[in-house]
Amino acid sequence: MAARGFPYTDLKDFLAALERAGELKRVSVPVDPTLEISEVVTRTVRAGGPALLFERPTRGEMPVAINLFGTERRMAMALGVDSLDEIGARIGALIKPELPVGWSGIREGLGKVMQLKSVPPRKVKTAPCQQVVYKGADVDLNRLPGLRVWPGDGGIFHNYGLTHTRHPETGKRNLGLYRLQQHSHNTLGMHWQIHKDSTAHHAVAERRGERLPVAVAIGCDPVVSYAASAPLPSDIDEYLFAGFLRGERVEMVDCLTVPLQVPAHAQIVLEGYLEPGERLPEGPFGDHTGFYTPVEPFPVLHIECMTMQRDPLYHSIITSKPPQEDHGLGKATERIFQPLLKLLIPDIVDYDLPAAGVFHNCAIVSIRKRYPKHAQKVMNAIWGAHLMSLTKLIVIVDEDCDVHDYNEVAFRAFGNVDYSRDLLLTEGPVDHLDHASYQQFWGGKVGIDATRKLPTEGYTRGWPEEMTMSPEVTALVDKRWKEYGIQ
């Protein structure tokens, strides 16, 4: 069921909905965007607290909206549903049963969903995001209350800038979410990682000796903001996906100085270019891994135009070890993409990406085991599945295990495993930010088979029966529970 007021026109509309639901707290006293906001938000997130609107940051010219997606309830509100599983169920209903399994099925499945919903973005001629325009010498990134989140950070970062590029040869658009370090009043460091589509766009532009136009939108409606983080195949347009989630086309407007389009209802838009071959040191940065990522050379975005709404809001996010606000984003991706992962790997019953594993270090997967080494087959399939290939630890359990119950998963992983036989060790790609791998970008991985073992797998002792109470006694105790006077 769609949330009241959904789809939201813009960020302000979403904040109004959060406030009506008691999910937004306004902070009216001055608060410093250097470290102080970070500490306030981190405490709020870990207490399960509300979204925050800092109305008087001591740096910058506009309020800061943050912790918008910090709980599953707010993430569901952002996407207009009561439960995040609703969207996955909608996708699952549309893509069954005639599509092929495998990666081609993923592409065809998403394509079919988008085609059926007919929700491509719609171009408009005028837009709220261009109500105020600064060009040339008037561009000043210090108007924005960018955050310094951790003491060791290399400077001010803009952590929720939606970055738009086009492939220089095909014209294919990409929308991505990358951190942006502020180098000066009109330059930003572009921290796009090796596995990202925009990195490929930039590589082609450099090979051709061309500047790459870039537009960054800050403070978009919550569906667009989520879509920028979604792990879509490169040939699926993020704005088509956002339109499907919204049930309504996203309005886009031409930028003023670069050949790109941006959401018409963004709060702020930065337009500029990357000079081929130019790099500057970027970082350190306290990331979602819980550790500082090191200084590395990254491209430099030169801002030539800065547009915004009148009375704009600035949207950002805090990064730290879990729990943190990105839990809502990661859990939304887990639930929305479940039917697509099952289309790719039909053996899967359900899966969970624990927040403590920062959503790409660990996957817990349940299967309906049918033959010897079935668990190992699924492990290898996951390591071949798009960005799931970055998973370092896979735990496979039987279908009667609730993958979201970590105590039950631990019981299986601790008790059902002979660690001399039931581990699969391999090597492969890891996340750009992974600090544990001895080599950057690749490292060791492990799969744990915590399923019941079969005689055909060499287990000849006869797997024991797990203890469960008889249904008759359970029903009796349910009926008499109040009589016992225990509580």
Side-chain angles (χ1 to χ4, degrees), residues 287-347:
D287 221 309
H288 67 281
T289 61
F291 296 88
Y292 290 103
T293 53
V295 175
E296 293 183 88
F298 277 94
V300 180
L301 176 59
H302 296 263
I303 308 298
E304 293 190 312
C305 181
M306 182 177 184
T307 72
M308 59 186 68
Q309 294 192 22
R310 296 187 187 94
D311 302 318
L313 300 177
Y314 177 84
H315 178 208
S316 193
I317 191 170
I318 299 300
T319 53
S320 76
K321 69 180 180 182
Q324 195 47 269
E325 179 184 349
D326 58 1
H327 168 78
L329 296 166
K331 190 55 65 172
T333 291
E334 175 198 291
R335 295 294 89 199
I336 290 170
F337 284 83
Q338 188 225 42
L340 295 166
L341 185 63
K342 291 172 72 172
L343 181 66
L344 180 62
I345 311 171
D347 316 74

Side-chain angles (χ1 to χ4, degrees), residues 313-452:
L313 300 177
Y314 177 84
H315 178 208
S316 193
I317 191 170
I318 299 300
T319 53
S320 76
K321 69 180 180 182
Q324 195 47 269
E325 179 184 349
D326 58 1
H327 168 78
L329 296 166
K331 190 55 65 172
T333 291
E334 175 198 291
R335 295 294 89 199
I336 290 170
F337 284 83
Q338 188 225 42
L340 295 166
L341 185 63
K342 291 172 72 172
L343 181 66
L344 180 62
I345 311 171
D347 316 74
I348 291 176
V349 174
D350 199 1
Y351 79 122
D352 184 280
L353 304 176
V358 294
F359 295 103
H360 55 71
N361 282 341
C362 177
I364 303 165
V365 180
S366 59
I367 65 170
R368 188 171 295 111
K369 187 171 178 177
R370 295 187 291 112
Y371 48 79
K373 300 299 181 181
H374 195 168
Q376 287 77 359
K377 181 256 192 184
V378 172
M379 295 170 193
N380 284 304
I382 291 171
W383 282 320
H386 196 40
L387 289 181
M388 290 293 287
S389 65
L390 304 180
T391 307
K392 297 204 298 183
L393 170 64
I394 300 173
V395 181
I396 306 290
V397 294
D398 289 299
E399 64 178 314
D400 62 349
C401 178
D402 180 357
V403 294
H404 311 295
D405 182 343
Y406 297 154
N407 284 332
E408 179 65 17
V409 171
F411 174 74
R412 307 283 182 113
F414 298 162
N416 283 8
V417 179
D418 179 337
Y419 284 95
S420 69
R421 292 176 175 265
D422 298 335
L423 297 186
L424 179 60
L425 295 173
T426 188
E427 291 181 334
V430 297
D431 188 76
H432 187 130
L433 304 179
D434 189 277
H435 62 279
S437 58
Y438 282 57
Q439 302 290 328
Q440 192 174 30
F441 308 131
W442 66 274
K445 298 160 179 284
V446 64
I448 299 177
D449 179 2
T451 63
R452 298 175 181 88

Side-chain angles (χ1 to χ4, degrees), residues 55-247:
E55 297 180 313
R56 297 170 62 193
T58 58
R59 177 162 39 74
E61 301 177 355
M62 60 200 70
V64 177
I66 202 164
N67 194 27
L68 305 188
F69 309 127
T71 65
E72 290 186 42
R73 181 186 183 214
R74 284 201 297 281
M75 193 69 239
M77 285 186 65
L79 300 180
V81 294
D82 292 326
S83 166
L84 295 174
D85 283 307
E86 291 178 34
I87 300 171
R90 282 167 54 199
I91 293 175
L94 287 170
I95 63 178
K96 292 180 179 178
E98 71 277 11
L99 289 170
V101 300
W103 187 241
S104 63
I106 291 280
R107 289 198 302 269
E108 290 185 37
L110 274 173
K112 181 185 176 189
V113 167
M114 306 314 164
Q115 184 180 19
L116 284 172
K117 300 302 292 187
S118 187
V119 283
R122 176 174 56 226
K123 181 180 174 181
V124 297
K125 293 183 178 179
T126 60
C129 70
Q130 295 173 346
Q131 290 172 338
V132 180
V133 178
Y134 301 100
K135 290 185 176 181
D138 292 328
V139 169
D140 187 1
L141 294 172
N142 294 311
R143 300 179 192 275
L144 309 179
L147 305 182
R148 185 177 172 205
V149 175
W150 296 102
D153 283 355
I156 292 171
F157 286 83
H158 304 280
N159 292 339
Y160 222 109
L162 277 56
T163 301
H164 300 72
T165 59
R166 283 192 183 276
H167 192 287
E169 295 174 343
T170 68
K172 175 71 176 68
R173 171 172 51 207
N174 184 67
L175 171 64
L177 180 60
Y178 317 112
R179 76 181 190 229
L180 305 163
Q181 181 174 359
Q182 185 169 321
H183 290 317
S184 71
H185 74 284
N186 64 354
T187 58
L188 295 168
M190 299 294 302
H191 188 274
W192 45 37
Q193 298 163 26
I194 190 172
H195 305 107
K196 305 299 184 181
D197 292 330
S198 288
T199 307
H201 292 187
H202 184 227
V204 173
E206 287 199 312
R207 190 184 71 230
R208 294 161 58 102
E210 298 173 354
R211 288 178 170 179
L212 182 70
V214 177
V216 177
I218 298 174
C220 296
D221 83 75
V223 173
V224 170
S225 292
Y226 166 70
S229 74
L232 295 171
S234 60
D235 53 355
I236 299 295
D237 187 274
E238 286 84 4
Y239 283 105
L240 198 61
F241 183 57
F244 165 72
L245 295 176
R246 286 169 54 88

